[in-house]
Amino acid sequence: MARCKDPLSDEEYNQIADVLARFPSERAMNLEMLDGFFAALACGPDHVRPSEFLPEILGETAADSLAFRDAAELEAFLALTMRHWNAVVHSLSSDDVFVPLLLEDDNGVAHGNDWANGFARGIELRRNEWSHLFDDQDHAGSLIPVLALAHEHHPDPQLRPYQEPMSAQRREELIVAMAAAVPAIYQYFAADRQRAANETRKYRPTATKVGRNNACPCGSGKKFKRCCGALTLH
């Protein structure tokens, strides 16, 4: 997979996974889910601030949690998360093949459900804007492999795409289709992202630079370094 100039090592991915595993909430993401979540945010039609998506990742109401041993560990986690975000965006904006980060079970099988669920949660943050793709008869099919894997084990059996256990071949086909569909979704919303970026630049205040320890101008109530200054979005 095409990655940015400062890719994460296996050890650094493990550091992210270790921190995420400490959060007790059922909604706290693992590394695979985080990758799918970031892919959806990168593909989507609108900008989502770190102050909005960090609590979604951690399953908490704020990024400052007792799961972090100290401020230094929080800073390190945010830095690694930033680099992973940049890697996902770089991969989607390049001409190379996009490969989702999938974890394998004890038998060496990648199921893809967590990745697809992470992508679905990214959609939910901007559901109204994503509705344009859902309603587009010519392009909505790109969402089918993602939603099929996301809903495979849905609590309501009626919402599961398959009533029988999914075969290994079918799972592999869906994962391949999902990997091919994500860049297409990224291109689908390209014009919307550009318009959103232009609006952001148009209304960006011309005040002096915000210090890292100052209150974040997005209004979250957190310090800039722990909010919108934590992740440098492409």
Side-chain angles (χ1 to χ4, degrees):
M1 173 167 62
R3 287 297 189 188
C4 60
K5 294 181 180 179
D6 190 19
L8 270 66
S9 64
D10 288 344
E11 180 181 354
E12 289 170 325
Y13 278 122
N14 288 336
Q15 290 177 29
I16 294 178
D18 176 65
V19 171
L20 293 175
R22 295 181 209 159
F23 285 85
S25 171
E26 293 183 357
R27 289 189 59 79
M29 297 184 181
N30 60 23
L31 184 59
E32 177 178 326
M33 192 175 291
L34 173 68
D35 193 70
F37 182 67
F38 275 174
L41 299 189
C43 286
D46 194 16
H47 171 68
V48 181
R49 292 185 177 92
S51 58
E52 184 177 357
F53 68 68
L54 280 173
E56 184 72 18
I57 292 170
L58 304 177
E60 298 286 341
T61 57
D64 302 48
S65 170
L66 295 178
F68 293 103
R69 297 188 179 97
D70 51 38
E73 186 178 56
L74 171 60
E75 292 288 342
F77 173 79
L78 293 176
L80 291 176
T81 306
M82 174 191 73
R83 285 170 54 199
H84 185 57
W85 164 272
N86 288 339
V88 171
V89 175
H90 178 82
S91 177
L92 286 167
S93 61
S94 72
D95 294 328
D96 294 329
V97 176
F98 175 76
V99 180
L101 192 164
L102 304 181
L103 304 178
E104 296 180 347
D105 64 16
D106 294 338
N107 297 316
V109 177
H111 294 266
N113 303 112
D114 283 346
W115 197 96
N117 274 298
F119 197 96
R121 285 174 63 176
I123 291 175
E124 287 303 316
L125 285 184
R126 291 291 185 273
R127 181 70 186 205
N128 288 340
E129 288 81 356
W130 277 81
S131 65
H132 297 294
L133 177 55
F134 279 87
D135 296 336
D136 189 327
Q137 295 183 0
D138 295 327
H139 298 92
S142 59
L143 294 166
I144 290 176
V146 176
L147 298 179
L149 287 169
H151 294 159
E152 181 184 359
H153 304 294
H154 196 283
D156 183 352
Q158 298 300 319
L159 296 180
R160 298 172 190 169
Y162 306 102
Q163 299 305 311
E164 300 295 330
M166 191 182 298
S167 67
Q169 180 179 350
R170 182 55 177 158
R171 183 177 306 282
E172 183 177 356
E173 291 172 349
L174 283 173
I175 289 174
V176 170
M178 180 174 68
V182 172
I185 297 172
Y186 181 81
Q187 292 300 322
Y188 181 85
F189 285 121
D192 297 89
R193 286 193 303 275
Q194 186 60 54
R195 282 193 293 270
N198 291 341
E199 287 298 310
T200 299
R201 284 192 291 269
K202 179 179 178 182
Y203 294 106
R204 181 175 295 161
T206 56
T208 56
K209 183 178 180 180
V210 179
R212 284 172 53 77
N213 290 312
N214 291 350
C216 187
C218 78
S220 66
K222 295 191 285 290
K223 290 182 179 180
F224 177 68
K225 67 181 181 181
R226 294 186 179 180
C227 190
C228 293
L231 299 180
T232 302
L233 308 184
H234 279 275

